[in-house]
Amino acid sequence: MEFDIQDVEHEIALIGNLQDIQNDMDMELRQSRNRNNSNNFEYDFDYYKEKMDALSFVISEHINSASEMAKKLVKKEMGK
Protein backbone atom coordinates (compact mmCIF):
# COMPACT_ATOMS: atom_id res chain seq x y z
CA MET A 1 0.00 0.00 0.00
CA GLU A 2 1.34 3.38 -0.98
CA PHE A 3 1.12 6.27 1.45
CA ASP A 4 2.70 9.66 1.92
CA ILE A 5 3.39 12.19 4.64
CA GLN A 6 -0.25 13.33 4.61
CA ASP A 7 -1.31 9.83 5.63
CA VAL A 8 1.07 10.01 8.60
CA GLU A 9 -0.26 13.46 9.49
CA HIS A 10 -3.84 12.16 9.38
CA GLU A 11 -2.89 9.24 11.62
CA ILE A 12 -1.30 11.64 14.11
CA ALA A 13 -4.39 13.87 14.04
CA LEU A 14 -6.57 10.83 14.71
CA ILE A 15 -4.38 9.92 17.69
CA GLY A 16 -4.85 13.44 19.05
CA ASN A 17 -8.62 13.20 18.66
CA LEU A 18 -8.71 9.82 20.40
CA GLN A 19 -6.62 11.19 23.26
CA ASP A 20 -9.04 14.11 23.61
CA ILE A 21 -11.90 11.62 23.92
CA GLN A 22 -9.93 9.68 26.50
CA ASN A 23 -9.30 12.86 28.50
CA ASP A 24 -13.01 13.73 28.37
CA MET A 25 -13.89 10.26 29.64
CA ASP A 26 -11.38 10.60 32.46
CA MET A 27 -12.87 13.97 33.44
CA GLU A 28 -16.39 12.51 33.36
CA LEU A 29 -15.29 9.67 35.62
CA ARG A 30 -13.74 12.10 38.10
CA GLN A 31 -16.89 14.22 38.11
CA SER A 32 -19.01 11.12 38.62
CA ARG A 33 -16.87 10.12 41.59
CA ASN A 34 -17.33 13.59 43.08
CA ARG A 35 -21.11 13.49 42.54
CA ASN A 36 -21.66 9.95 43.78
CA ASN A 37 -19.83 8.58 46.73
CA SER A 38 -22.14 5.60 46.54
CA ASN A 39 -22.59 2.31 44.76
CA ASN A 40 -23.18 4.16 41.48
CA PHE A 41 -19.51 5.06 41.43
CA GLU A 42 -18.51 1.38 41.27
CA TYR A 43 -20.69 0.94 38.18
CA ASP A 44 -19.37 4.15 36.60
CA PHE A 45 -15.79 3.18 37.34
CA ASP A 46 -16.15 -0.29 35.84
CA TYR A 47 -17.94 1.11 32.78
CA TYR A 48 -15.41 3.86 32.13
CA LYS A 49 -12.41 1.66 32.96
CA GLU A 50 -13.50 -0.89 30.35
CA LYS A 51 -14.04 1.81 27.73
CA MET A 52 -10.79 3.61 28.56
CA ASP A 53 -8.80 0.36 28.39
CA ALA A 54 -10.23 -0.32 24.93
CA LEU A 55 -9.51 3.24 23.83
CA SER A 56 -5.93 2.99 25.14
CA PHE A 57 -5.44 -0.11 23.01
CA VAL A 58 -6.80 1.63 19.90
CA ILE A 59 -4.56 4.65 20.53
CA SER A 60 -1.48 2.44 20.92
CA GLU A 61 -2.31 0.64 17.66
CA HIS A 62 -2.56 3.97 15.80
CA ILE A 63 0.71 5.14 17.35
CA ASN A 64 2.39 1.95 16.14
CA SER A 65 0.86 2.39 12.69
CA ALA A 66 1.98 6.03 12.40
CA SER A 67 5.45 5.06 13.58
CA GLU A 68 5.79 2.28 11.02
CA MET A 69 4.50 4.51 8.23
CA ALA A 70 6.98 7.25 9.18
CA LYS A 71 9.89 4.77 9.29
CA LYS A 72 9.01 3.47 5.81
CA LEU A 73 8.76 7.00 4.45
CA VAL A 74 12.17 7.89 5.90
CA LYS A 75 13.71 4.75 4.38
CA LYS A 76 12.09 5.57 1.04
CA GLU A 77 13.42 9.14 1.12
CA MET A 78 16.89 8.01 2.18
CA GLY A 79 16.98 5.59 -0.75
CA LYS A 80 16.45 8.39 -3.30
Side-chain angles (χ1 to χ4, degrees):
M1 181 178 142
E2 282 293 312
F3 52 86
D4 60 18
I5 191 66
Q6 285 183 326
D7 295 319
V8 177
E9 290 170 346
H10 289 157
E11 193 74 7
I12 292 168
L14 176 61
I15 292 165
N17 290 339
L18 291 170
Q19 287 173 326
D20 288 344
I21 292 168
Q22 189 176 40
N23 291 338
D24 290 345
M25 289 174 71
D26 184 53
M27 186 171 45
E28 181 62 32
L29 179 60
R30 290 173 196 267
Q31 289 172 350
S32 175
R33 179 174 45 195
N34 291 338
R35 284 191 304 266
N36 304 317
N37 287 330
S38 66
N39 292 337
N40 288 343
F41 175 70
E42 289 300 320
Y43 168 77
D44 288 345
F45 179 80
D46 291 343
Y47 174 81
Y48 281 105
K49 175 79 171 114
E50 182 181 312
K51 300 301 180 197
M52 289 179 71
D53 286 349
L55 191 52
S56 290
F57 175 77
V58 170
I59 290 170
S60 70
E61 288 296 306
H62 282 283
I63 289 171
N64 291 339
S65 174
S67 176
E68 287 301 314
M69 288 168 59
K71 286 178 191 176
K72 288 178 182 177
L73 284 175
V74 168
K75 284 182 182 178
K76 183 178 171 182
E77 289 299 314
M78 297 297 283
K80 287 185 175 181

